[in-house]
């Protein structure tokens, strides 16, 4: 349980770092980031899973880069639902998805 809470806070921290780095990507405060992480996770588990399954051949063809497009769409959808979390354009969502992927890889490597 503690690991899950730590991961939740680290994901929110990643979201805040991306908001600081990427123009057009905005998170108002920590509670908004925490809620956004939950919504992004739920969208990834449901809609993201089906989209990645349907576009698997395209994902293989592009060596997984197309999945960044799906992650950007998930971020854009989450920004429409969560107050205090805003993604202005698809370009900002795409760069934000790439930055989040890099930050998640770094935090995962540091935690193991």
């Amino acid at each position: 349980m503690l690991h899950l809470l730590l991961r939740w806070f680290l994901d929110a921290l990643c979201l805040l770092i991306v908001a600081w780095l990427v123009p057009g990507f905005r998170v108002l405060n920590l509670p908004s980031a925490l809620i956004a992480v939950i919504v992004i996770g739920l969208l990834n588990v449901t809609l993201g899973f089906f989209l990645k399954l349907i576009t698997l051949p395209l994902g293989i063809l592009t060596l997984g880069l197309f999945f960044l497009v799906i992650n950007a769409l998930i971020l854009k959808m989450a920004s429409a639902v969560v107050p205090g979390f805003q993604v202005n354009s698809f370009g900002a969502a795409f760069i934000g998805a790439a930055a989040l992927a890099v930050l998640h890889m770094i935090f995962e490597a540091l935690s193991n």
Side-chain angles (χ1 to χ4, degrees):
M1 185 69 168
L2 184 62
H3 177 73
L4 184 65
L5 286 173
L6 180 64
R7 178 112 179 151
W8 183 37
F9 277 104
L10 282 177
D11 288 346
L13 178 66
C14 286
L15 205 60
L16 288 169
I17 291 170
V18 169
W20 182 67
L21 291 174
V22 177
F25 201 99
R26 199 184 94 161
V27 179
L28 191 60
N29 50 22
L30 183 62
S32 296
L34 290 170
I35 294 169
V37 166
I38 291 172
V39 171
I40 291 167
L42 290 173
L43 285 172
N44 258 332
V45 167
T46 56
L47 186 62
F49 172 74
F50 290 118
L51 286 175
K52 289 174 185 172
L53 188 63
I54 291 168
T55 61
L56 185 61
L58 188 58
I60 292 170
L61 186 65
T62 62
L63 302 175
L65 291 177
F66 186 74
F67 296 140
L68 283 176
V69 172
I70 293 173
N71 289 340
L73 288 171
I74 298 276
L75 286 174
K76 195 75 172 131
M77 283 187 253
S79 74
V81 176
V82 178
F85 176 56
Q86 181 182 14
V87 181
N88 291 337
S89 66
F90 182 78
F94 186 80
I95 294 169
L100 277 173
V102 169
L103 284 172
H104 283 290
M105 284 190 298
I106 291 170
F107 280 145
E108 190 69 29
L110 291 176
S111 69
N112 289 334

